Amino acid sequence: MSSTAKTDRYDIIIAGGGMIGASMALALAPLGLRIAVVEAIARKSGEQPSFDDRSTALSRSTQRMFEAMGLWPDVIAAATPIHNIHVSDKGRFGFSHISAEQQGVEALGYVVINRVLGSVLQSKLAGLDGIDILCPARIIGVELGPDSAVAMVKADNSRKISNLSCSLLIAADGANSTVRAMLGISAQTSEYGQHAVVGNLLPEKSLDNCAFERFTSQGPLAILPIADDRAGFVWTVSEHDAQRVLALDDADFLAEIQSEFGYRLGKFSRVGKRAAYPLVLSKAVRLTATRSVLVGNSAHGLHPVSAQGFNLGMRDVAALCDCVADALGASGTVDAGDEQLLQRYATWRHSDQSKLVTFTDGLVRIFGSARAPIRILRDIGMIGFDLIPGVRSLFVKHTMGLAGRLPRLSRGVPLR
Ligand SMILES: Cc1cc2nc3c(=O)[nH]c(=O)nc-3n(C[C@H](O)[C@H](O)[C@H](O)COP(=O)(O)OP(=O)(O)OC[C@H]3O[C@@H](n4cnc5c(N)ncnc54)[C@H](O)[C@@H]3O)c2cc1C
């Protein structure tokens, strides 16, 4: 890893080398293009916002992508499979159950710690020719022209600003994307007034590869199977409660989360480090500008209730790779920032992104509400979810990322 560029002309520059930016570079690697990834914060820094201690549930389409990219053996070695999902509503009768067996798949998804996934992705990237990783360095300005985009890059250890030009600039710099703003693309945002408190704990009983989602009056609580019989939790609490919950001592914290979840997994103990994330829905008003494109959270930031933000971003990666691969000439060259290519990407991604934003937002509002009519509706929904044929498999198809027209990588087909 270095903070200086080896050339000043690239085919593609990726702004942000987090979960999506690093995956994007690895996915594009077989095409033999000259690529730079500019990442502001080193992976091992405690400040790294992407590769942190959160646990992420990888969908089946993300699994297929990592398989096609040749990374799956390393990812699965660090991941825990989900064989069942148990969905319940605190204080109400009934629950829904989805199983891998019924769906005819070996697992509904896999849980991986972001920090561990980061080390897999970055060690693969480090060994690739043709990809420069500029880190710690950030993009501080952008100039867009008809033939190229120029990224102004400043390394942390230097006062010099390098102007790096490229055919295509990909913004993968997260939900508060400054590059998106530099491209002149605004985003619609709406705050949920909630924080996700995340960490891990030790339940008395084994999770047995089951993931639990429990809707409470404050919001959803997810308990995910991770390594060493521990459970990762994502606990949604109201904004004004987040600091109080973080400040609780371990015993009081365990007592509160236990009272929300119940004793299905026996008594909780040994809670690890906790962190809180403010929850905001964001959606960019468009996905492209001249010679530039948005992927991942810079395009859409979701509530974690559906565990889909990263998976949706990976489908952006797969679709953009397909568009670039299709345009590759026999000589191996491509104008990756060609306007028609970018338009194909934007049109392709519109439906999947809009559906998942609406679906996730709907889940938060329906299941987070204590109002009586909505409670009745969601009880019917929970029962209907299990009994009405087709409803559950449609839901599962979407959460596994297998609905709609799929690009090569999402089908597990290598780009080359
Ligand atoms: C509590 C929680 C739980 C979640 N669980 C799941 C889950 O189970 N499944 C799932 O699919 N998704 C989940 N998500 C969503 C998932 O974490 C995000 O969708 C994913 O991290 C987005 O990755 P990204 O690379 O687009 O953005 P980020 O992770 O925000 O990374 C952006 C990167 O860009 C860098 N950067 C920023 N500005 C610049 C700049 N100017 N120049 C250079 N670099 C820059 C940053 O340092 C960072 O490394 C969860 C989210 C939360 C909050």
Side-chain angles (χ1 to χ4, degrees), residues 38 175 386 406:
V38 184
D386 237 20
L406 298 180

Side-chain angles (χ1 to χ4, degrees), residues 155-229:
D156 272 12
N157 59 1
S158 160
R159 293 167 75 171
K160 192 177 143 219
I161 294 169
S162 309
N163 291 331
L164 307 182
S165 81
C166 58
S167 303
L168 173 65
L169 174 64
I170 300 178
D173 57 336
N176 298 319
S177 173
T178 50
V179 173
R180 181 182 64 211
M182 290 170 202
L183 299 175
I185 302 177
S186 58
Q188 292 161 342
T189 58
S190 135
E191 293 184 10
Y192 285 111
Q194 296 175 328
H195 278 58
V197 175
V198 306
N200 63 73
L201 51 76
L202 185 69
E204 194 179 351
K205 294 185 197 162
S206 164
L207 273 80
D208 212 9
N209 298 97
C210 185
F212 295 83
E213 181 128 49
R214 186 154 175 80
F215 292 94
T216 74
S217 54
Q218 286 221 53
L221 164 61
I223 301 275
L224 301 168
I226 55 172
D228 304 325
D229 280 333

Side-chain angles (χ1 to χ4, degrees), residues 14-22 38-41 47-51 54-59 62 114 137-140 172-179 182 196-198 224 234 277-279 295-298 300-304 306-313:
I14 303 172
M19 299 266 280
I20 290 297
V38 184
E39 168 54 48
I41 301 170
E47 307 295 304
Q48 220 304 322
S50 198
F51 300 128
R54 278 174 294 171
S55 17
T56 292
L58 307 178
S59 71
T62 299
N114 289 13
R138 60 180 71 233
I139 296 189
I140 56 164
D173 57 336
N176 298 319
S177 173
T178 50
V179 173
M182 290 170 202
V197 175
V198 306
L224 301 168
V234 182
Y277 297 79
L279 299 181
V295 295
N297 271 28
S298 79
H300 42 71
L302 303 181
H303 193 294
S306 57
Q308 287 299 308
F310 174 64
N311 295 309
L312 183 64

